[in-house]
Amino acid sequence: MKKFLFLCLTALILQASCFAYDAEVDGIYYNLNTASRTAEVTYLSTVNNYTAYKGSVDIPSIVKYDNTTYVVTSIGNSALAYCSDLTSVTIPESVTSIGKYAFQESYCLTEVTIPSSVTSIGEQAFYWCSSLTSVTIPNSVTSIESYTFAYCDSLTSMTIPNSVISIGKSAFYHCYHLSSVTIPEFVTSIGESVFNYCSSLTSVTIPNSVTSIEDYAFQNCRSLTSVTIPDGVTSIGNSAFEGCSSLTSITIPEDVTSIGSYAFRDCTGLTKATINSSTSGTYTFSGCNSLKEATIGSSVTNIGTSVFDTCESLESVVIGSSVTEIEDYVFWFCTNLSSVISLNLEPPTCASNTFGYVDTSSCTLTVPEGSKDAYSVANVWKEFYNIVEDPSLGVNAASATDDEQEVSRYTLDGKQVNTPQKGVNIIRYSYGTTKKVLVK
């Protein structure tokens, strides 16, 4: 008998603990703060919340219970989560916060109105709301937390207000139908996997405020056709743009000091790549099998392992004047490489497999005037049958006459500069002549 009573009491305690609310008014469940007379929308049960909210739910700004009026100020953690029949929610202006997991896995939710009073939206708030097609984030919100809209497969557009200064990890992960997004001008970092697997994303605007693009940020954005990396970016993470198969060209700006492995691997639509940064990364463009043209700028001193590995369509590459070392497998299996231009007077040190499977008997190596002999005896470089000198790449290959004045000066990639820059400078003179000068 005692055992039976104990079991009954235990069952009652467990059942009571499943229910999280203080009051239920008109089908909405609340936790009440009697001291501040505020109410938080909450869930029916931790065990079975699936039927708690159905159809369209209009949350009131005030609620009366037990002869007391409460102001509804928040949507609590998991409040409307797992509600499989919930289709739309209207949130009143009295609400200032939406908690973690608030609408998580409410698969039929198509519409939610977030008022301008809301200042915070918790992580995973709309996680896997797979029917949600659009949502407007008010200007009062300053951050989008981790996984907030992850797996919102039907979300087609997103306006992120200028008030937002941070976007958390995987915030829009796997939003298959998201086609365009503008990142606000005060965001400084694009977090890990923020747009990973947004396979319909065709365009993205990255503001000049951004200094880092984290690991996997745009990985597998297969419809992304173009992206401009701002000059202020200093780091690009591992696999940041890996698998962006519709990208056709990319320029890595000179302020970048760190590039993670596989940053642009398997960008199979990429035809042109320019590295102006001080580093090249490793496996950076590996598997970019449509890449035809690559330029390594004068800021790069070392070309990392397998940067252009298996870029089978690569035809020409320009190696900057500051490059002193080219690591293993950099041009491995670049079987169509027909032109290599090295701007350094001294042959960079190469690993034994730097040009593995490149046909050095037919590929032309072009070097600065006066450096052919050095390349002809240097390890790896000496394997090129056809080494030619280009007078225009030599130091002061052609000097101006006394009465000619320099009108303008450009770097090899076409950027106008006011002072001599390390590497090849293109100088335009007053009589219309144009000459190349190698500045060391």
Side-chain angles (χ1 to χ4, degrees):
M1 183 65 178
K2 288 182 179 179
K3 185 177 181 181
F4 175 75
L5 289 173
F6 174 77
L7 291 173
C8 289
L9 181 61
T10 301
L12 288 170
I13 292 171
L14 289 173
Q15 184 178 11
S17 67
C18 291
F19 294 95
Y21 62 92
D22 296 331
E24 182 268 318
V25 180
D26 296 331
I28 298 177
Y29 303 92
Y30 300 96
N31 284 328
L32 305 176
N33 187 320
T34 55
S36 63
R37 294 192 177 183
T38 57
E40 174 185 81
V41 178
T42 189
Y43 47 84
L44 166 63
S45 166
T46 58
V47 175
N48 183 11
N49 203 48
Y50 299 103
T51 59
Y53 299 102
K54 297 180 179 180
S56 298
V57 173
D58 191 349
I59 299 171
S61 58
I62 59 171
V63 61
K64 292 182 179 180
Y65 182 76
D66 198 18
N67 295 321
T68 303
T69 299
Y70 298 87
V71 178
V72 180
T73 58
S74 62
I75 311 295
N77 295 344
S78 304
L80 294 93
Y82 311 108
C83 294
S84 54
D85 293 324
L86 181 67
T87 58
S88 67
V89 177
T90 301
I91 301 171
E93 291 282 350
S94 58
V95 170
T96 59
S97 67
I98 298 173
K100 298 177 181 179
Y101 327 114
F103 300 93
Q104 176 172 301
E105 295 184 43
S106 290
Y107 300 122
C108 292
L109 183 65
T110 60
E111 182 182 356
V112 61
T113 302
I114 303 174
S116 58
S117 56
V118 171
T119 58
S120 67
I121 301 173
E123 65 182 57
Q124 295 186 224
F126 297 94
Y127 181 88
W128 219 323
C129 291
S130 54
S131 297
L132 190 66
T133 57
S134 66
V135 62
T136 300
I137 301 172
N139 281 316
S140 48
V141 173
T142 58
S143 67
I144 299 174
E145 303 297 332
S146 299
Y147 295 94
T148 299
F149 297 98
Y151 290 99
C152 289
D153 295 340
S154 299
L155 196 64
T156 57
S157 64
M158 170 59 62
T159 301
I160 304 174
N162 283 330
S163 57
V164 170
I165 58 175
S166 68
I167 302 175
K169 176 181 177 180
S170 300
F172 298 95
Y173 181 86
H174 218 281
C175 289
Y176 267 154
H177 291 96
L178 186 65
S179 59
S180 66
V181 65
T182 299
I183 299 169
E185 59 185 10
F186 296 112
V187 171
T188 59
S189 174
I190 300 175
E192 181 179 332
S193 294
V194 166
F195 298 103
N196 195 341
Y197 277 105
C198 291
S199 56
S200 297
L201 190 66
T202 58
S203 65
V204 61
T205 302
I206 302 175
N208 291 328
S209 56
V210 170
T211 59
S212 67
I213 300 171
E214 302 296 334
D215 297 349
Y216 321 111
F218 295 95
Q219 186 181 35
N220 297 312
C221 291
R222 299 188 182 105
S223 299
L224 190 63
T225 56
S226 66
V227 63
T228 300
I229 301 174
D231 288 339
V233 170
T234 59
S235 67
I236 300 172
N238 296 324
S239 300
F241 294 91
E242 180 180 0
C244 292
S245 53
S246 296
L247 275 181
T248 57
S249 67
I250 195 71
T251 298
I252 301 174
E254 59 186 19
D255 287 345
V256 173
T257 57
S258 172
I259 300 176
S261 298
Y262 314 111
F264 297 90
R265 184 172 69 168
D266 293 336
C267 291
T268 53
L270 201 65
T271 60
K272 182 179 180 180
T274 302
I275 304 175
N276 290 327
S277 57
S278 60
T279 181
S280 65
T282 58
Y283 297 90
T284 308
F285 297 99
S286 175
C288 294
N289 54 24
S290 295
L291 186 66
K292 292 182 179 296
E293 179 185 347
T295 302
I296 296 107
S298 59
S299 296
V300 178
T301 58
N302 171 280
I303 305 177
T305 302
S306 298
V307 167
F308 298 102
D309 182 3
T310 62
C311 291
E312 298 171 357
S313 298
L314 187 63
E315 297 173 354
S316 66
V317 61
V318 177
I319 300 171
S321 59
S322 298
V323 173
T324 58
E325 182 181 13
I326 306 176
E327 296 185 13
D328 239 347
Y329 307 107
V330 169
F331 299 103
W332 177 265
F333 233 92
C334 295
T335 51
N336 280 300
L337 191 60
S338 59
S339 171
V340 175
I341 300 174
S342 180
L343 301 179
N344 197 333
L345 285 166
E346 298 293 329
T349 301
C350 291
S352 59
N353 288 306
T354 294
F355 291 96
Y357 291 96
V358 171
D359 186 0
T360 52
S361 66
S362 62
C363 180
T364 299
L365 172 62
T366 304
V367 298
E369 187 176 42
S371 62
K372 179 179 177 179
D373 290 346
Y375 279 87
S376 296
V377 296
N379 285 337
V380 179
W381 296 109
K382 66 184 179 182
E383 296 173 9
F384 285 82
Y385 284 35
N386 188 23
I387 303 176
V388 298
E389 292 184 349
D390 184 345
S392 69
L393 302 180
V395 179
N396 294 329
S399 57
T401 59
D402 292 338
D403 55 350
E404 279 190 305
Q405 299 295 320
E406 180 178 325
V407 174
S408 55
R409 180 182 291 256
Y410 302 85
T411 58
L412 193 59
D413 58 4
K415 181 180 178 182
Q416 186 169 1
V417 293
N418 295 322
T419 58
Q421 304 292 305
K422 191 175 183 180
V424 176
N425 288 208
I426 301 170
I427 304 173
R428 210 164 131 272
Y429 291 99
S430 55
Y431 285 132
T433 57
T434 301
K435 296 160 187 176
K436 292 181 181 176
V437 174
L438 183 63
V439 179
K440 294 199 73 179

